[in-house]
Amino acid sequence: MASSLPSKDFQEGVDDDDDDAVRYMPTDQNVLKKHVAFFDRNHDGLVYPWETFKGFRAIGAGYFLSMAGAIFINVALSGKTRPGKFPSLLFPIEVKNIHLAKHGSDSGVYDSEGRFVRLKFEEIFIKFARTHASALTSDELMAMLKANREPQDYKGWIISWTEWKTLYCLCKDNNGLLRKETIRAVYDGSLFEHMERERAATIKKSLQSRDRHCVIQFQPKIKLYQDMSLLPWSSSLNLV
């Protein structure tokens, strides 16, 4: 699904012109929690696999990707966010502890407490955005992932690759670019909410268009029936 997202929709975090906001994006809820809380569909502080599935479907992911994402994410993160608790076969993720699930070989844009590190975010584009200053191509994205790899951190490599490739597939624009404002919206937690609203509006518009089409097709039949009822022999055909 290609999507070009306007930057004005994603200004909930750091203002680029605010020199005081040098390191962290100010927020009452750390942005990593906000990022994950989207998938907590009933807002009980826990994310179960079926909620992850629903979250992916809400932003336009297909059934296979949504199912694979639900299994992969919940199995990988559940135990880390539930320290000291007996493992659950339902694999819930505790939103409040999501910072404990931070993996290696990542971009470093989230710190150990789940806060947004602006300098690390800008570093992504300084180092890897060669074609466009405010966007990443597929090749540039792969170059970033390779550069972020920590030695023998194979699990971190796989998780990072899965996260970024999923984001690229869902959010690249029509030119195959993953834009800076889109990536920042992932980090500040606003992207998924925007995508859900956008998809809901598209579905609603499609249904309305279909209903109008049905009405237009049905009206000529009503007119024909009414015209036939005026014929002299219509009464014998029980048309009126």
Side-chain angles (χ1 to χ4, degrees), residues 95-106:
V95 176
K96 67 180 182 180
N97 293 327
I98 191 61
H99 62 283
L100 299 177
K102 189 175 180 295
H103 58 81
S105 300
D106 64 354

Side-chain angles (χ1 to χ4, degrees), residues 5-78:
L5 304 175
S7 59
K8 66 180 181 180
D9 289 329
F10 305 124
Q11 302 306 313
E12 297 179 14
V14 174
D15 184 349
D16 286 339
D17 298 326
D18 186 359
D19 293 332
D20 294 330
V22 176
R23 183 171 175 79
Y24 296 119
M25 176 179 293
T27 179
D28 293 331
Q29 178 188 41
N30 80 40
V31 288
L32 182 55
K33 286 182 182 177
K34 185 178 179 183
H35 171 88
V36 175
F38 171 81
F39 295 92
D40 181 11
R41 309 303 285 180
N42 62 357
H43 309 294
D44 65 350
L46 298 173
V47 179
Y48 289 94
W50 52 89
E51 291 181 290
T52 305
F53 175 85
K54 290 178 181 178
F56 271 106
R57 291 293 294 151
I59 61 177
Y63 280 101
F64 177 78
L65 178 58
S66 300
M67 183 67 72
I71 295 172
F72 178 80
I73 291 172
N74 282 76
V75 171
L77 303 185
S78 178

